[in-house]
Amino acid sequence: MDEGALRVLVPRVLAGLVRRGEDFDAAEDALQEALLEALRVWPEHPPRDPRAWLVTVATRRLVDARRSEAARHRREEATYAEPRPAAAEVGDDTLFLLFCCCHPDLPPASQVALTLRAVGGLTTREIADAFFVPEATMAQRISRAKRALHGRRLDRPGDLAVVLRVLYLVYTAGHAGRVDLAGEAIRLARRLTLATEEPEARGLLALMLLNHARLPARLDCEGRIVTLDRQDRGRWDTREIAEGVRVLQSALAARRPGRYQIEAAIAALHDDAASAEETDWPQILSWYDDLVALTGDPVRQDPAAVLGRAVAVGHVLGAAAGLRETDRLREVLGERHRWHAVRGHLHELGGDPAAAATAYADAARRATDVAERDHLVRQAARARAGRPAGS
């Protein structure tokens, strides 16, 4: 079995064990032992049903652990000696696990971290990078979350807002390169839209589809990042765009716009433009106005939205106006590479290649992703040489 298929399978097996009433932490430990056994056995003796094999072996590990508790020995052996067949086949266990990880007794940050680990399959280091914290800090956060769930029955649903946020984080991890995670996030979002009438669930699905449609054009043949304005739009998935627009229209019809619906509307406007020059920036700016209005202090509560709006301001009202908007974010985002990269773009828009080169170089020094850093280094060199964007 390839790594992608196994990554999708593991959370479903874990969910089946948890749905059956197993303790979350113990079930995860047992599944890890089963995976180690699979690595040893499967190359020579591949199972006909990998999922059932993992459930059976993990269950046996749980039984063995319980047998060490003498007081429960006889009762537990009779109850758990054999795995319960077909439990994992009822409903969508991965969606069940998603809501379990978003347990109301956990703080939101722990809900997100635990779900990314159990459902998304991200490593502790990857989750730590997503939150801009040290790996050791994230490991402690995940451990505390597991301890908080120890001995509790996972039968209370999590917060839908947290579930949506987690799904989007899983998607963005996949969109950055792990396509299997992006596909799994979209699959779960589809299931979620069937389970709730909340328009923000449809807004999230639309946002994922509209962004995912551009994925084939995001990298060139050498694996280098291609910015949106330079992408070959003929490579975009038009069927995925059409579906995303339909889902978005359905969500907006409820007249309860939220963050994901607004972000999806912005993505739809980009997807609708036949070329970068035909992008409807005034309408994009209008949507960004709605997005930043969702919070009382957007500079501190939603700086990413304010930064995106600054780009739209630059295209509509001029580069100088856009740069003034980024100045508002200096204290909050001044050490992040994206702030410097946006300023580089705006300086180019305003016809100042020297300032653009400096901003791109500053962004490259702060970028942690290798592909992004290399892209920004190339942007700085191009601007320094006086070559126009896209050359």
Side-chain angles (χ1 to χ4, degrees), residues 53-70:
W53 191 98
L54 287 172
V55 169
T56 299
V57 174
T59 300
R60 287 172 181 164
R61 295 295 185 272
L62 288 165
V63 172
D64 290 343
R66 273 189 286 270
R67 283 175 176 164
S68 66
E69 303 175 28

Side-chain angles (χ1 to χ4, degrees), residues 41-338:
V41 173
W42 287 9
E44 293 186 8
H45 304 285
R48 283 184 302 226
D49 187 342
R51 183 175 182 173
W53 191 98
L54 287 172
V55 169
T56 299
V57 174
T59 300
R60 287 172 181 164
R61 295 295 185 272
L62 288 165
V63 172
D64 290 343
R66 273 189 286 270
R67 283 175 176 164
S68 66
E69 303 175 28
R72 300 183 181 182
H73 175 74
R74 292 180 180 83
R75 186 187 68 220
E76 298 291 343
E77 183 176 6
T79 305
Y80 293 99
E82 295 296 330
R84 301 178 188 180
E89 301 296 334
V90 178
D92 189 329
D93 277 335
T94 310
L95 195 58
F96 167 78
L97 182 62
L98 182 64
F99 274 90
C100 287
C101 289
C102 298
H103 196 278
D105 288 347
L106 295 177
S110 295
Q111 293 171 328
V112 171
L114 186 60
T115 306
L116 288 173
R117 175 68 177 271
V119 180
L122 274 67
T123 65
T124 304
R125 177 181 291 277
E126 289 170 325
I127 303 170
D129 289 345
F131 282 91
F132 302 103
V133 299
E135 184 177 2
T137 300
M138 184 54 64
Q140 292 174 352
R141 186 178 298 175
I142 293 172
S143 295
R144 283 197 301 269
K146 291 179 181 179
R147 286 197 298 272
L149 295 180
H150 182 71
R152 299 176 188 236
R153 289 198 63 83
L154 299 177
D155 53 4
R156 282 196 290 159
D159 188 320
L160 179 61
V162 176
V163 170
L164 293 174
R165 181 182 174 211
V166 167
L167 278 178
Y168 194 45
L169 281 172
V170 174
Y171 169 77
T172 53
H175 193 54
R178 295 172 61 178
V179 181
D180 59 321
L181 282 184
E184 179 67 1
I186 291 173
R187 186 189 73 83
L188 288 171
R190 289 187 197 280
R191 297 291 304 175
L192 196 58
T193 61
L194 299 177
T196 177
E197 292 296 320
E198 170 55 49
E200 273 291 79
R202 281 172 281 162
L204 177 60
L205 175 58
L207 177 60
M208 290 179 180
L209 291 168
L210 291 163
N211 282 334
H212 199 255
R214 300 195 295 260
L215 189 60
R218 188 172 182 268
L219 302 176
D220 66 15
C221 59
E222 296 181 18
R224 296 176 302 189
I225 291 174
V226 180
T227 54
L228 181 61
D229 59 316
R230 294 192 296 118
Q231 288 179 12
D232 178 0
R233 298 180 182 223
R235 299 181 62 193
W236 291 358
D237 188 331
T238 55
R239 292 191 354 187
E240 207 162 29
I241 292 172
E243 181 186 1
V245 170
R246 286 197 303 271
V247 174
L248 174 60
Q249 289 172 338
S250 171
L252 293 175
R255 298 189 179 279
R256 285 189 285 135
R259 174 173 309 280
Y260 296 116
Q261 295 170 72
I262 293 172
E263 290 185 2
I266 293 170
L269 287 167
H270 282 295
D271 287 4
D272 186 55
S275 66
E277 293 73 25
E278 297 177 57
T279 303
D280 189 346
W281 284 107
Q283 194 170 351
I284 288 175
L285 177 57
S286 177
W287 279 112
Y288 267 118
D289 288 341
D290 291 342
L291 184 60
V292 299
L294 293 177
T295 55
D297 183 6
V299 168
R300 298 197 176 277
Q301 296 174 339
D302 196 1
V306 179
L307 190 61
R309 182 180 179 277
V311 175
V313 167
H315 281 274
V316 176
L317 302 177
L323 286 165
R324 285 195 295 272
E325 289 296 308
T326 66
D327 286 337
R328 301 169 56 205
L329 297 163
R330 188 182 297 273
E331 182 181 341
V332 178
L333 295 181
E335 289 305 311
R336 298 289 175 84
H337 78 280
R338 295 194 189 284

